[in-house]
Amino acid sequence: MAMFTISELKERISQFPKKRLINSPTPFQKLENLSRSFEGPVIYMKRDDLTGLAFGGNKSRKLEFIIPDALNKKADVILTWASVQSNWCLQTAAAAQKFGIKPMLLLFKTDELPDEHDGNLLLDFILDADIRIKEGEKGKVVKEVNAYEAIEELASEVKERGDNPYVVPIGGSMIGGSMESPLGAISYVAAFVEMLEQAKSQQVDVDYIVLASGSGSTQAGLIVGAKVLKDNIKVLGISVSAEKESYGKDVLTIAQDTAKALQIDIEISEEEVIILDEYIKEGYGIMNKEVSEAIRSVAIKEGIMLDPCYTGKAAVALFDLIRKGYFKKEDKVVFFHTGGTPVLFPYKKSLVNFLKR
Ligand SMILES: Cc1ncc(COP(=O)(O)O)c(C=O)c1O
């Protein structure tokens, strides 16, 4: 039994100010060829790669709630950090500029992802973001590299010149910096509602959601949405970087903070946060043959491009789970395409190496 109706939940979400940045609802479509090739389960895709801000992706949904908070706090600069090819940073730069706020990005490069003007870094440059580059750690998502000291220094630099910085933690996920509510996750509670309404209108009874999970708020928001509206949809987060013990706690914290912010009295247990970490393989952002082949397979069968760091890995997981019989043949599985496609380009060498015949 659902705890709330859809309109009651929408009402709670609407208490948080929102600025329109995306084309929504994003398409919810059946992947006919892919489903047929596995002979079940039936695979659907929620096309959050088509949100439309810059090159699209899940972060623009989060920014619809984060930008009003920054405007409300009279920010001149939005300061955030992540890896050099970060989708989060690109979409933050596009959203901030659109609302007259200067983006300042602390980006961590590695041998795998150097600071070449390619992919998202090229787009950050086009968007005239204030880009600062630092050395990162191979195979580690920047969440695991301590960026706080460097961010403090940059925030002081901004203040010294008389500007007001708004600091958002990586991915717009954990509460921290200038963000006092889990605004990123709240946007994904709304995305869950959007998907559920689309599924209902197509008479699709969803059993599972599969998504790439990195800093936590996309999964946390979907978990809260599923719990509040329809307890039986399972949300499988495919971790792209962190091990499930520690990462599961982060996602749980964000989910609990989200329920609290929406004034929803629910207990979310550790068991309800399902993280699969066996697909991280060589580490964050390290390409392998399986990811390359999953990207090619979805491109050929559906004409849809996945990305090397997130959705490509989640697709490897989805295909492997199907082959292992994790789902029933008649199950309906929704794959959330969370974007990231500009990052195909900086990975061109590995993609070509793994895919050439
Ligand atoms: C393309 C893409 N998919 C998925 C994710 C994961 O989303 P979250 O950080 O909310 O876990 C990210 C960002 O980290 C991303 O850029």
Side-chain angles (χ1 to χ4, degrees):
M1 255 301 278
M3 296 180 60
F4 276 46
T5 62
I6 283 186
S7 46
E8 282 166 343
L9 184 55
K10 279 185 176 171
E11 173 65 31
R12 294 289 166 100
I13 295 167
S14 70
Q15 288 164 22
F16 290 85
K18 183 176 162 186
K19 288 277 180 206
R20 190 130 180 108
L21 282 170
I22 70 168
N23 302 317
S24 60
T26 57
F28 174 82
Q29 64 194 79
K30 185 171 173 185
L31 302 185
E32 300 273 1
N33 293 336
L34 204 62
S35 303
R36 200 175 311 117
S37 71
F38 287 107
E39 296 173 358
V42 191
I43 306 166
Y44 292 81
M45 189 178 268
K46 178 67 175 153
R47 300 292 307 272
D48 273 11
D49 55 321
L50 301 180
T51 45
L53 179 78
F55 278 71
N58 60 339
K59 309 303 184 199
S60 350
R61 272 196 199 271
K62 305 185 188 190
L63 287 154
E64 287 200 320
F65 289 84
I66 295 170
I67 290 286
D69 194 41
L71 290 170
N72 194 30
K73 291 180 174 141
K74 310 247 173 309
D76 305 295
V77 172
I78 292 192
L79 171 55
T80 193
W81 68 96
S83 79
V84 79
Q85 283 297 337
S86 162
N87 304 303
W88 157 246
C89 287
L90 162 68
Q91 285 165 64
T92 302
Q97 289 287 34
K98 195 168 154 74
F99 284 92
I101 307 175
K102 186 84 187 160
M104 187 182 223
L105 309 175
L106 175 62
L107 301 177
F108 291 83
K109 66 172 178 153
T110 59
D111 290 346
E112 192 78 359
L113 287 173
D115 56 342
E116 277 168 10
H117 282 132
D118 194 355
N120 282 332
L121 191 59
L122 171 64
L123 304 175
D124 297 338
F125 175 76
I126 291 173
L127 282 158
D128 197 23
D130 182 350
I131 299 167
R132 310 296 175 94
I133 305 279
K134 258 183 161 310
E135 208 59 53
E137 259 182 79
K138 187 175 180 200
K140 291 239 184 255
V141 75
V142 177
K143 195 156 74 78
E144 298 158 44
V145 177
N146 194 356
Y148 282 95
E149 216 172 287
I151 286 290
E152 283 294 313
E153 278 170 26
L154 291 178
S156 305
E157 182 190 316
V158 172
K159 283 182 201 153
E160 270 161 31
R161 66 173 193 239
D163 282 339
N164 180 20
Y166 181 95
V167 177
V168 208
I170 186 166
S173 281
M174 299 295 282
I175 294 177
S178 314
M179 197 174 75
E180 290 133 7
S181 302
L183 299 171
I186 289 169
S187 78
Y188 265 88
V189 180
F192 181 88
V193 176
E194 183 180 302
M195 180 220 72
L196 197 64
E197 285 185 318
Q198 290 171 309
K200 273 176 188 285
S201 74
Q202 295 181 31
Q203 278 92 45
V204 177
D205 213 356
V206 177
D207 298 289
Y208 290 91
I209 290 174
V210 174
L211 80 151
S213 197
S215 65
S217 56
T218 305
Q219 186 175 1
L222 294 172
I223 290 171
V224 172
K227 174 111 187 168
V228 174
L229 291 180
K230 206 166 178 284
D231 236 340
N232 53 347
I233 298 184
K234 292 187 187 60
V235 181
L236 306 186
I238 311 304
S239 175
V240 296
S241 55
E243 284 168 16
K244 65 178 169 197
E245 278 71 29
S246 64
Y247 184 53
K249 289 194 175 65
D250 288 350
V251 176
L252 181 61
T253 303
I254 303 170
Q256 286 166 336
D257 287 344
T258 305
K260 205 161 133 202
L262 293 169
Q263 296 166 287
I264 299 171
D265 190 17
I266 44 168
E267 286 287 319
I268 301 163
S269 66
E270 261 178 54
E271 297 71 60
E272 286 171 287
V273 177
I274 310 170
I275 311 266
L276 303 182
D277 62 2
E278 53 268 46
Y279 302 97
I280 301 171
K281 293 285 163 67
E282 297 84 350
Y284 173 73
I286 301 180
M287 185 56 128
N288 61 35
K289 196 166 172 58
E290 279 176 296
V291 174
S292 312
E293 284 173 350
I295 292 173
R296 176 174 269 175
S297 166
V298 176
I300 290 174
K301 293 194 177 79
E302 302 291 344
I304 295 171
M305 294 296 163
L306 301 179
D307 84 287
C309 304
Y310 295 91
T311 52
K313 269 197 177 159
V316 169
L318 173 66
F319 300 167
D320 187 51
L321 292 171
I322 294 175
R323 288 191 197 101
K324 285 180 176 155
Y326 188 94
F327 306 105
K328 293 202 280 295
K329 292 282 175 209
E330 63 279 12
D331 277 345
K332 314 279 187 298
V333 178
V334 180
F335 184 91
F336 259 73
H337 190 332
T338 43
T341 45
V343 184
L344 283 169
F345 301 98
Y347 276 90
K348 52 190 167 286
K349 277 206 189 99
S350 347
L351 277 163
V352 172
N353 276 338
F354 286 122
L355 292 178
K356 73 178 173 223
R357 298 195 195 277

